[in-house]
Amino acid sequence: MHKGRKESEKIISLVVLLSIMSCIAIYFAQQTGQYEKNFVFQQVIFLIFGFGLCYLVSKSPIDFIRKHIFWFYGAAVVLLLGIVLKVPFTQEVNGATRWYRFAGFSLQPSEVIKGVFVLAMAHFAAKYEKTPVKQLLVMGGLALPILLLLYKQPDLGTTIVYFVTMLTIMLIANRSWKLIAGIISAAVLSVSLFLFLLLNHMEWLEMLGFKRYQFARIFTWLDPASDPNGAYQVNLSMKAIGSGMLSGRNGSVYIPESHTDMIFSTIGNQFGFIGVSILLIVFILFIKELIEAGLNMKKSFSMYLFAGFAMCFAFNIFENIAMSIGLMPLTGIPLPFISYGGSSVFGNMICIGIMLAVIRYDAQLE
């Protein structure tokens, strides 16, 4: 029990530190004068409710949740389906419908249901670990509706995060090297074929139902000169990060969405290489704690869950930072624990709460 309590304290301490860094970064993002709202105050409110939500989830009975996982997973699918069908109270922003909006509050389901997705994947990975083929079929069958609904929003960035998370749990849970090799080979071949068709035979993808505009950001990323307007945000982001130099600069560079998706650029601009390095060190320590906690778990379910969350957060962090410096196409996903937003805060805190609950659950086992 003592060891589990120590692991929980380390994870919470790092989340608190990241939350403080978030408020500081959002404060400096507001100094460009492009926003009238007090986002720092709102983020503090989100964090207060987020930590409260984390506490409540951490007290949840894991056995009960696993027993009724289909109900939780079904609710997640319904939330995403409502977005795709554009039921009342859905909200479209910049050509994408990803939010519900009611009474002045917005909710992005793809952020909030991350915990349920990882929990479900870990549950079925453990349940069918003695039957590898059935394990893969069940996990793939359950993940497919979520992935398709995310892609249809459209939200390619989050779709990739969920897919990589599922793939990680599959690879760790599956003990058949032949199946592991098959999964990796199929994934590599699928991505390679897709990129070949995208670059050389776009008309074939259009015959399959894809639209050219869906890949505009990929084309802009590969050839920025082909669409200067499309590359505008990334160019500003890299300019802001570069001008921060070693320890940051006085004054601010205008960056669209500087308090949300592009907040890493704000940190690079205001605090330079030193500030960015500190942030990355904290992120590395956070992921390290999740991996170590997973390795210390007694139950395979608990280990799979921590592996899933570690990859989910790690890939999300990588994707956000990579798009900010031009290494990946713009995908519009927030930087975990740093970007402004209630849905992001609540979703991340639910994930932390689930992990704390699993640490307690696992520590109670003989």
Side-chain angles (χ1 to χ4, degrees):
M1 291 291 286
H2 175 71
K3 192 171 186 178
R5 187 180 298 114
K6 187 176 181 181
E7 290 170 340
S8 299
E9 289 173 353
K10 286 182 179 179
I11 292 172
I12 284 293
S13 297
L14 289 168
V15 171
V16 170
L17 180 56
L18 287 168
S19 300
I20 294 171
M21 296 172 77
S22 168
C23 293
I24 294 171
I26 293 170
Y27 169 79
F28 280 98
Q30 291 189 163
Q31 304 311 304
T32 59
Q34 59 180 305
Y35 306 111
E36 295 181 359
K37 290 184 179 180
N38 187 343
F39 289 119
V40 178
F41 176 76
Q42 289 183 318
Q43 185 76 348
V44 170
I45 298 300
F46 291 149
L47 287 168
I48 291 172
F49 280 99
F51 276 107
L53 184 60
C54 175
Y55 175 79
L56 292 176
V57 174
S58 72
K59 300 301 179 183
S60 303
I62 294 299
D63 283 327
F64 174 84
I65 294 175
R66 292 186 66 184
K67 185 178 180 180
H68 299 87
I69 190 63
F70 272 116
W71 289 103
F72 291 99
Y73 201 78
V77 172
V78 169
L79 281 173
L80 291 178
L81 185 61
I83 292 289
V84 173
L85 297 177
K86 298 185 179 181
V87 300
F89 305 115
T90 55
Q91 180 186 27
E92 183 175 319
V93 179
N94 297 327
T97 305
R98 303 175 186 172
W99 297 266
Y100 289 103
R101 187 167 181 82
F102 180 74
F105 295 95
S106 295
L107 178 71
Q108 186 176 359
S110 60
E111 287 293 324
V112 177
I113 68 166
K114 282 189 297 188
V116 173
F117 180 81
V118 175
L119 205 156
M121 291 296 104
H123 170 75
F124 289 105
K127 184 175 181 179
Y128 298 111
E129 62 184 351
K130 293 182 180 180
T131 52
V133 175
K134 186 175 183 179
Q135 180 192 66
L136 295 180
L137 291 174
V138 171
M139 292 177 67
L142 283 170
L144 188 60
I146 295 282
L147 297 175
L148 290 175
L149 290 170
L150 287 170
Y151 178 77
K152 290 292 290 182
Q153 292 186 8
D155 192 351
L156 181 61
T158 305
T159 305
I160 295 172
V161 171
Y162 275 60
F163 176 76
V164 171
T165 301
M166 175 202 70
L167 194 61
T168 299
I169 297 174
M170 277 185 174
L171 293 176
I172 291 176
N174 205 298
R175 293 165 190 176
S176 169
W177 285 105
K178 290 182 179 179
L179 281 174
I180 290 174
I183 293 171
I184 295 176
S185 299
V188 171
L189 286 173
S190 298
V191 172
S192 300
L193 177 61
F194 179 80
L195 290 175
F196 173 77
L197 293 176
L198 180 65
L199 297 176
N200 299 284
H201 297 285
M202 183 63 204
E203 67 277 7
W204 293 6
L205 290 177
E206 290 177 328
M207 290 172 61
L208 295 174
F210 292 100
K211 305 296 181 183
R212 187 172 294 271
Y213 72 84
Q214 293 176 313
F215 306 107
R217 288 181 174 180
I218 297 178
F219 289 130
T220 302
W221 170 62
L222 293 172
D223 184 12
S226 66
D227 183 11
N229 291 329
Y232 174 72
Q233 191 170 4
V234 175
N235 290 337
L236 285 178
S237 173
M238 291 192 291
K239 178 182 176 182
I241 294 171
S243 63
M245 301 182 73
L246 181 63
S247 58
R249 54 169 285 166
N250 294 323
S252 301
V253 173
Y254 171 77
I255 313 164
E257 309 298 337
S258 60
H259 64 311
T260 54
D261 301 342
M262 308 303 289
I263 198 163
F264 181 79
S265 307
T266 300
I267 295 171
N269 178 246
Q270 293 295 321
F271 302 101
F273 177 78
I274 294 175
V276 166
S277 298
I278 293 172
L279 175 64
L280 292 178
I281 288 170
V282 177
F283 273 139
I284 290 170
L285 290 174
F286 174 70
I287 301 301
K288 171 180 168 289
E289 285 302 324
L290 299 191
I291 294 172
E292 288 185 350
L295 292 173
N296 290 330
M297 294 294 108
K298 301 183 184 72
K299 299 287 286 184
S300 57
F301 158 76
S302 306
M303 182 178 67
Y304 301 153
L305 181 129
F306 271 88
F309 278 126
M311 178 53 74
C312 183
F313 283 119
F315 193 81
N316 200 330
I317 292 164
F318 166 77
E319 192 172 359
N320 178 278
I321 294 175
M323 76 175 188
S324 299
I325 58 178
L327 291 180
M328 287 186 71
L330 282 174
T331 52
I333 64 170
L335 186 59
F337 303 106
I338 302 296
S339 291
Y340 167 84
S343 296
S344 178
V345 169
F346 298 154
N348 292 332
M349 291 303 183
I350 288 172
C351 294
I352 297 300
I354 290 173
M355 286 188 280
L356 298 182
V358 169
I359 288 174
R360 189 187 74 253
Y361 159 81
D362 199 87
Q364 292 171 347
L365 300 172
E366 294 183 359

